[in-house]
Amino acid sequence: MEKAYKLLAKQEHISANEAKRLIDSGKVFAYDKKIKIARAMMKENTKPQKIFEDNNIIVINKPPYITSEEIEKTYKTPLLHRLDKDTSGILVLVKNKNFQKKAINEFKNKNVYKEYLAWVSGIVSEPIIVDMPLKVIKTKSGAYSKIDKYGDEAITEIEPVKAFRSKSEVKAIIHTGRTHQIRAHLSYINHPILGDEKYGGRPAKRVMLHHHKFRIFDYEFTADIPKDFTIMEEYND
C-alpha cells in the first residue's frame, strides 16, 4: 500500500506537491471513483486482466492509466500493437517471431478487425465513414495527427450505439492503424471524444475510448467494458 499522491507522482513523473494539487482539485480517479484524500492508502499495482494465452500470443484487457509499454515490461513479451495510456481494452503481445511476422503482414493487408467504443460530444444518429488521410506531427508535448491531403490513408467507420442528452456512444471500426486515428477522425466530424482535450473534447476523467473487439487469423476476442466507461455526473451539459 502507498499514499495516493505518492503513487500519482511516480506514475506521472511529477512532484509530490503537484500530485497533491491534482487530487485536491478533484481531477484524479481510481476504480471509477474520485480520489478525495491525497494521503489515502492505495494498492501500488493492479495487474491487468489476461483474456487469453497460447504459444503465439497473450491478450490483455488493458485498464486505463497504464501505458502499453508498462504491460510489455510486466509480461516480458513484445507488443503486437499499442494503445494510448488512457485507452482501455484489448492489447496483444506476441510470443514468437514467426507469428509476429505473419501478424504484421495481416495488419499491412488490412485483414485485421479492430472495433472500438467511444463516448463523444453531440448526437450521432446515422453511420458515417471518415476517409481522410492523416499526417503525424511530433512535438515536445507528444505526437498528434491532423487531416492532410499528403498524409497516410486513414479510414474509420462510425456507427451510433446510443445517446445520452447531448452525447453519444459510438462504435468505431478502423481499417487502417494510424496514430490517434479515431481521435482525429471523430474530432474532424465535430464529435470529439469526451476527455480528449488534445483533439477538442470536453473534460472528463479520461479519454473515453475502449478497444472492444479484435480479430486476426482464427482468433477473435472481446474485452469487457470497464466500470469507468459510463456517463455520469461529471459530464453534465
Side-chain angles (χ1 to χ4, degrees):
M1 301 290 283
E2 179 66 279
K3 290 183 175 66
Y5 78 91
K6 290 185 177 180
L7 279 178
L8 181 63
K10 289 178 184 177
Q11 291 173 359
E12 299 299 325
H13 306 291
I14 59 177
S15 69
N17 286 337
E18 176 65 9
K20 288 179 182 177
R21 186 190 68 77
L22 287 171
I23 292 172
D24 290 341
S25 64
K27 295 180 179 179
V28 181
F29 291 77
Y31 306 106
D32 202 29
K33 293 182 180 179
K34 185 182 293 184
I35 299 175
K36 297 181 179 180
I37 303 174
R39 295 180 179 276
M41 300 302 290
M42 301 188 65
K43 294 180 180 179
E44 292 189 44
N45 182 46
T46 301
K47 191 172 182 180
Q49 174 196 3
K50 186 188 294 184
I51 297 174
F52 177 83
E53 180 175 6
D54 66 3
N55 292 329
N56 294 319
I57 56 176
I58 300 173
V59 183
I60 301 298
N61 187 357
K62 175 184 142 0
Y65 319 116
I66 183 172
T67 67
S68 297
E69 288 73 20
E70 286 177 279
I71 292 178
E72 181 179 51
K73 189 179 295 184
T74 297
Y75 288 91
K76 300 177 181 178
T77 306
L79 294 164
L80 178 60
H81 64 104
R82 286 172 170 76
L83 296 178
D84 294 332
K85 184 175 182 178
D86 275 6
T87 303
S88 56
I90 295 170
L91 184 68
V92 182
L93 303 97
V94 290
K95 297 176 69 174
N96 65 74
K97 291 185 177 180
N98 183 49
F99 181 87
Q100 183 179 39
K101 184 178 180 180
K102 292 179 180 178
I104 289 173
N105 283 332
E106 290 295 281
F107 274 86
K108 289 180 179 178
N109 294 326
K110 301 177 185 176
N111 290 330
V112 179
Y113 181 82
K114 294 165 285 183
E115 177 189 311
Y116 290 72
L117 296 174
W119 275 101
V120 303
S121 293
I123 300 299
V124 179
S125 58
E126 59 185 23
I128 305 168
I129 295 179
V130 186
D131 185 353
M132 297 298 294
L134 292 172
K135 182 177 181 180
V136 179
I137 308 297
K138 295 183 179 179
T139 70
K140 291 182 180 179
S141 60
Y144 73 94
S145 290
K146 71 172 186 175
I147 305 297
D148 190 305
K149 64 181 180 179
Y150 299 111
D152 294 318
E153 179 188 33
I155 303 171
T156 308
E157 288 186 53
I158 307 298
E159 298 179 11
V161 177
K162 58 186 174 184
F164 177 80
R165 296 181 180 173
S166 64
K167 313 158 196 70
S168 299
E169 183 180 10
V170 299
K171 180 192 301 182
I173 301 166
I174 54 176
H175 298 278
T176 49
R178 309 305 176 196
T179 299
H180 296 177
Q181 177 175 321
I182 297 173
R183 298 167 64 181
H185 275 175
L186 282 168
S187 177
Y188 173 75
I189 61 173
N190 296 317
H191 292 293
I193 299 173
L194 296 180
D196 193 6
E197 297 181 58
K198 191 170 192 174
Y199 288 90
R202 291 157 57 182
K205 56 192 167 187
R206 69 153 168 123
V207 177
M208 297 296 282
L209 184 63
H210 177 70
H211 188 192
H212 186 49
K213 294 182 180 179
F214 177 79
R215 184 166 62 244
I216 186 170
F217 301 123
D218 294 329
Y219 295 104
E220 183 171 347
F221 305 103
T222 300
D224 292 339
I225 298 171
K227 292 180 179 179
D228 74 342
F229 200 77
T230 55
I231 295 301
M232 301 193 310
E233 293 178 359
E234 59 265 29
Y235 309 124
N236 284 341
D237 299 326

